[in-house]
């Protein structure tokens, strides 16, 4: 996609916090207008629209759009957005009572090449696991994600994270 379109999408999202809750439809209209500029088969449009529905409190409306974007080749068009879509889809699935689907979607992301979204993967997966009563696994993921950011105790926290699900946990 061209940089002008990307800049306008970024600007729209930068203004999101300026919209009051009751103005959610107006924000979605901005995103819809940007999505309408794309080719009909572009996976970027459904992705941005899914984000808008999700961010305005409608994960049920976001789920099919995330799936449309992913099924439509989002990974080929923009790998970073595809990873975001999987994270956000898993979150929306959890919010609509389908946490197990979220776990299945995000578990492979733990082995993906590392990037700045790794901690988001772990946090969202931890929430999905918690919804399924698998709190120790979720806490292990969160502590493992947190450990590298601590000024001290990195090694200890990483070890504790492993022990939550390792042999000593049984």
């Amino acid at each position: 996609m061209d940089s002008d379109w990307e800049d306008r999408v970024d600007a729209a999202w930068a203004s999101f916090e300026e919209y009051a809750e009751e103005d959610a439809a107006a924000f979605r209209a901005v995103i819809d207008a940007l999505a309408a500029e794309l080719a009909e088969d572009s996976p970027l449009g459904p992705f941005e629209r899914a984000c808008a529905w999700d961010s305005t409190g409608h994960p049920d409306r976001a789920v099919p759009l995330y799936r449309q974007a992913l099924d439509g080749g989002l990974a080929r068009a923009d790998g970073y957005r595809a990873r975001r879509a999987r994270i956000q889809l898993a979150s929306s699935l959890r919010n609509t009572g389908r946490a197990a689907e979220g776990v299945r979607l995000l578990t492979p992301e733990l082995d993906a090449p590392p990037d700045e979204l790794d901690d988001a993967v772990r946090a969202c997966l931890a929430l999905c696991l918690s919804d399924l009563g698998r709190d120790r696994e979720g806490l292990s993921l969160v502590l493992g994600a947190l450990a590298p950011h601590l000024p001290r105790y990195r090694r200890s926290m990483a070890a504790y994270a492993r022990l939550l699900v390792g042999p000593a946990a049984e």
Side-chain angles (χ1 to χ4, degrees):
M1 184 46 26
D2 69 64
S3 63
D4 175 62
W5 186 85
E6 293 285 355
D7 290 345
R8 290 184 290 126
V9 168
D10 290 346
W13 282 105
S15 73
F16 176 68
E17 295 299 325
E18 297 170 16
Y19 286 83
E21 211 170 298
E22 58 272 10
D23 296 329
F27 176 76
R28 288 191 306 267
V30 169
I31 297 299
D32 284 343
L34 288 163
E37 295 178 25
L38 300 169
E40 190 174 312
D41 63 346
S42 173
L44 298 177
F47 170 74
E48 294 297 338
R49 291 177 59 232
C51 293
W53 280 108
D54 209 358
S55 297
T56 58
H58 297 278
D60 56 320
R61 301 285 300 266
V63 166
L65 291 166
Y66 285 132
R67 287 193 169 134
Q68 180 184 351
L70 289 165
D71 293 345
L74 187 58
R76 286 186 308 278
D78 187 327
Y80 184 79
R81 275 190 173 107
R83 193 163 198 220
R84 284 183 50 210
R86 287 187 289 276
I87 294 165
Q88 293 165 205
L89 172 56
S91 177
S92 292
L93 288 167
R94 183 186 77 81
N95 286 326
T96 57
R98 296 177 282 176
E101 287 180 62
V103 169
R104 285 192 298 275
L105 183 65
L106 284 183
T107 299
E109 291 297 315
L110 294 174
D111 297 321
D115 66 16
E116 66 187 46
L117 296 173
D118 288 350
D119 292 344
V121 167
R122 284 164 177 74
C124 186
L125 181 53
L127 288 168
C128 289
L129 288 167
S130 181
D131 279 12
L132 297 172
R134 296 165 59 184
D135 294 322
R136 288 183 71 87
E137 289 174 77
L139 180 57
S140 174
L141 286 170
V142 171
L143 284 176
L146 175 64
H149 304 285
L150 297 174
R152 298 184 52 89
Y153 316 112
R154 288 183 189 122
R155 184 181 296 186
S156 297
M157 286 303 137
Y160 295 147
R162 286 189 302 277
L163 288 172
L164 281 167
V165 293
E170 296 164 4

